[in-house]
Amino acid sequence: MIRTMVQRVREVLILMFLALMSKTNGEWKPNHWGRSNCVRQPPRPPLPVPPVQEENCLSWRVAVEANNVRGWRTVPTQCLSYVERYMIGGQYEKDVSFIIDQILAYADDITLSADGMDAWVFDVDDTCISNVFYYKGKRYGCDPYDPSGFKEWAMRGGCPAVPGMLSLFNELLNMGFKIFLITGRDEETLAHPTIHNLHNQGFYNYQKLIMRSVAYKGQSAVAYKSSIRNQIMKEGYRIWGNVGDQWSDLQGECLGNRTFKLPNPMYFVP
């Protein structure tokens, strides 16, 4: 009987000791008796942020190019590396080249009139000349649009030609088309550097460069460019094709017989 009492006292002391340890050492874990004893565990490292799957950024870009994502102001930050690789890793040039092939195949089937009034419309920024080096400093569109920063960049007149677009431009001229360049750049402040930039990159002999004048300030790109195309058509020109990197280049009125969208995942112009 004395042994039994001693054994019970020992069990009580053990339980009291375990209870005391549970208050000081942290986390409860079940033991093989079905009871809980407290064992100090090393602190868990923070869970890593799940990596963004590249196919999500591809889906975002495709939706942007299909105009299913509208009014976006910045590129998703998780897509920075993807957009950078797309723009400077070779795929952008391949996509532009593919579109140029479609344009030339379409233009080859057009029978031009002898009156010299067959026309094409080209946008300027990221259609004729590229702003990719500017947007590299803006994290390829992950940073918000900076009007003063872009104006400073455009004033330098250092934009390179979009790959393949000068050859397309010259090919259409050689076919006999008149090419009108329509840009949303401000005429008052950017006319000279824009003309210099275009000529420096080889864009000569266009019919006319049309920039946003005071009369069009405050208008959306769609309204402004629709009005300009309407004026061109009122002069008797037939617009066979319209090329731009923004959907706002290709929407509205007097679009022409066919439109061609160049890729641009870096910014959106409403």
Side-chain angles (χ1 to χ4, degrees):
M1 182 175 179
I2 294 175
R3 288 182 180 179
T4 301
M5 290 180 64
V6 170
Q7 184 176 356
R8 288 181 179 177
V9 169
R10 182 180 297 173
E11 290 178 354
V12 170
L13 291 174
I14 291 173
L15 289 175
M16 289 176 65
F17 174 77
L18 292 176
L20 179 63
M21 291 295 294
S22 72
K23 292 181 180 180
T24 59
N25 285 343
E27 184 175 326
W28 284 93
K29 284 195 172 181
N31 61 19
H32 59 279
W33 289 298
R35 297 172 181 168
S36 295
N37 52 332
C38 185
V39 179
R40 179 177 289 277
Q41 298 293 318
R44 294 180 179 179
L47 293 175
V49 177
V52 175
Q53 299 298 317
E54 186 167 292
E55 57 264 28
N56 292 340
C57 293
L58 171 60
S59 298
W60 175 84
R61 184 178 66 81
V62 170
V64 163
E65 298 298 352
N67 203 29
N68 290 325
V69 177
R70 303 180 183 182
W72 53 279
R73 297 193 175 188
T74 58
V75 172
T77 54
Q78 63 266 33
C79 295
L80 168 59
S81 296
Y82 171 81
V83 173
E84 179 180 23
R85 288 195 304 273
Y86 174 75
M87 291 303 301
I88 66 175
Q91 188 59 51
Y92 170 74
E93 288 87 348
K94 291 178 183 178
D95 290 350
V96 171
S97 178
F98 185 86
I99 296 166
I100 289 172
D101 289 342
Q102 304 307 306
I103 292 172
L104 290 174
Y106 163 69
D108 282 339
D109 286 338
I110 298 172
T111 301
L112 275 68
S113 175
D115 61 6
M117 302 298 283
D118 297 298
W120 275 73
V121 169
F122 276 49
D123 174 49
V124 173
D125 283 297
D126 295 297
T127 298
C128 294
I129 52 178
S130 172
N131 295 299
V132 69
F133 294 124
Y134 168 77
Y135 277 96
K136 179 181 180 180
K138 298 297 182 180
R139 300 193 304 153
Y140 293 93
C142 290
D143 294 340
Y145 177 61
D146 176 10
S148 60
F150 181 78
K151 181 180 178 181
E152 181 182 347
W153 159 261
M155 290 287 290
R156 300 176 188 173
C159 299
V162 172
M165 290 303 292
L166 179 59
S167 295
L168 171 65
F169 176 88
N170 287 326
E171 186 71 23
L172 291 174
L173 285 178
N174 292 336
M175 290 180 180
F177 292 101
K178 301 296 191 301
I179 298 181
F180 290 84
L181 305 181
I182 307 177
T183 175
R185 289 188 176 197
D186 179 63
E187 183 178 49
E188 184 178 357
T189 58
L190 295 177
H192 178 73
T194 300
I195 293 170
H196 173 76
N197 198 160
L198 288 165
H199 289 181
N200 186 50
Q201 292 301 311
F203 290 92
Y204 290 99
N205 300 320
Y206 45 80
Q207 191 69 12
K208 192 175 183 181
L209 169 64
I210 304 165
M211 306 185 72
R212 190 188 288 266
S213 64
V214 175
Y216 294 101
K217 284 189 176 179
Q219 289 191 9
S220 69
V222 172
Y224 157 61
K225 294 196 172 187
S226 292
S227 179
I228 298 300
R229 291 191 300 265
N230 184 43
Q231 292 176 28
I232 293 171
M233 295 184 71
K234 283 183 176 179
E235 293 175 12
Y237 289 96
R238 295 174 292 275
I239 300 176
W240 286 99
N242 183 1
V243 188
D245 68 295
Q246 298 292 316
W247 278 102
S248 53
D249 298 328
L250 312 174
Q251 294 175 325
E253 301 175 0
C254 306
L255 295 175
N257 195 56
R258 187 169 171 185
T259 61
F260 294 87
K261 169 76 167 64
L262 297 184
N264 186 349
M266 297 185 297
Y267 61 89
F268 176 86
V269 177

